[in-house]
Amino acid sequence: MTILSVNNEFNNSVKQHTAQCFSKASGQYGQYAKVQAKTAQLLFSMLRTGNKSLLDLGSGPLLHQQTLAHYADSIVNMDLSHSMLMQGEVGDHRICADMDSLPFQSQVFDVIFSNFAIQWSQDPAKLFVELARLCKPNGQVVLSSVLAGSLYEINTAWQALDGRAHVNQFLALSALKAHAIHAGFEVRATKQACLVDEYPDAKAAIKSIKQIGANQLQTGRAKKGLMGKTAYTKVLNNYPVTDSCAPVTYQVALMELRKR
């Protein structure tokens, strides 16, 4: 298996730590990424067929290769984490690179597919411009992204300890749409979906974020473990649990774009 690494000596400490978090989660990601699996199915329904080239941006452990192969002759898998790209027995080209520095020539892809990835961009306005650059004329982009209002249960639990935000501040759907239009895309469809993952208790719910590698704050401050038993118990007790179920709520954008 050959993985091409491009610009992966990150001079940005946030990106470096994000890559490390996802690498640690690579072996179990597919087991815990339940909401991501749901959004992938919704994105598949938007994809057109008969394409020559497709970019899976933020491909993770190549969970969708067999399905995406029905939509394009050639698939390029790109992810920030080298360990994620080491997963999966099948797959075409694998490139380890940063989505904020896309290493491709212009107008090379018929379709760009991105599931639960672009929220990690530190410059989403520039990212949409770059996606438009990579698309062939009339190229299609289908994507999902985490939106503002997500993970409020986890944020509520942690604020019992120190009053600080312990989840990332995600964009609203209107902001993503504005970035897409500014980049020159025709917005064919947008939808905001509320998807809930459920766990047996607060401890499992909080741990689930680490198990999918999403325990990195984009402010540059990584989430740190709680050292004291008393403090940890305080956080767990403040988690919103209903009917013996600890939910983790995601607000998710689903978008279909066309290059004009």
Side-chain angles (χ1 to χ4, degrees):
M1 178 191 305
T2 301
I3 298 175
L4 176 63
S5 296
V6 182
N7 298 327
N8 65 333
E9 295 182 0
F10 308 115
N11 55 11
N12 183 311
S13 61
V14 176
K15 289 295 179 107
Q16 184 178 24
H17 195 270
T18 300
Q20 291 171 351
C21 288
F22 280 110
S23 291
K24 290 178 181 178
S26 60
Q28 75 248 3
Y29 181 88
Q31 178 182 353
Y32 293 99
K34 300 174 184 178
V35 168
Q36 291 84 337
K38 293 178 182 178
T39 57
Q41 292 299 320
L42 295 172
L43 293 183
F44 295 149
S45 68
M46 299 179 183
L47 282 172
R48 63 190 184 191
T49 57
N51 303 289
K52 291 184 178 180
S53 57
L54 182 150
L55 171 64
D56 187 353
L57 181 65
S59 61
L62 282 71
L63 297 176
H64 310 308
Q65 286 306 289
Q66 293 184 352
T67 301
L68 292 177
H70 295 293
Y71 295 93
D73 297 332
S74 177
I75 300 172
V76 175
N77 305 280
M78 198 196 96
D79 201 87
L80 187 69
S81 164
H82 190 277
S83 294
M84 282 286 192
L85 292 167
M86 289 292 292
Q87 308 299 312
E89 298 179 357
V90 297
D92 294 335
H93 312 288
R94 307 184 190 205
I95 298 177
C96 183
D98 182 359
M99 72 174 70
D100 288 326
S101 184
L102 290 168
F104 304 106
Q105 295 180 353
S106 300
Q107 298 187 14
V108 291
F109 295 109
D110 296 293
V111 178
I112 297 175
F113 174 93
S114 184
N115 184 37
F116 256 69
I118 69 165
Q119 67 270 8
W120 298 107
S121 171
Q122 293 187 316
D123 191 347
K126 178 185 174 183
L127 174 60
F128 276 93
V129 171
E130 281 290 278
L131 295 182
R133 179 182 67 82
L134 298 187
C135 284
K136 296 178 182 178
N138 199 40
Q140 182 190 40
V141 176
V142 295
L143 64 86
S144 66
S145 181
V146 182
L147 294 175
S150 296
L151 308 178
Y152 77 88
E153 298 97 345
I154 291 176
N155 197 39
T156 297
W158 278 80
Q159 285 190 350
L161 179 65
D162 55 20
R164 297 165 61 185
H166 285 263
V167 300
N168 286 303
Q169 301 302 302
F170 302 108
L171 294 178
L173 178 58
S174 59
L176 293 181
K177 184 177 179 179
H179 289 324
I181 293 172
H182 183 264
F185 282 109
E186 174 191 357
V187 179
R188 300 292 296 270
T190 61
K191 179 181 179 180
Q192 180 166 341
C194 179
L195 301 176
V196 181
D197 207 354
E198 297 181 343
Y199 294 89
D201 53 46
K203 183 177 180 180
I206 292 174
K207 188 178 179 181
S208 72
I209 302 302
K210 184 176 182 179
Q211 289 168 325
I212 60 172
N215 54 315
Q216 165 66 33
L217 290 179
Q218 295 296 74
T219 58
R221 176 173 54 85
K223 296 179 183 178
K224 297 180 180 180
L226 296 172
M227 301 302 294
K229 182 178 180 181
T230 300
Y232 189 40
T233 299
K234 185 176 182 181
V235 171
L236 295 178
N237 289 341
N238 204 55
Y239 198 99
V241 177
T242 58
D243 298 326
S244 300
C245 171
V248 179
T249 300
Y250 293 86
Q251 298 292 337
V252 183
L254 300 163
M255 303 180 72
E256 180 193 1
L257 313 173
R258 290 288 177 91
K259 182 175 179 178
R260 297 181 186 275

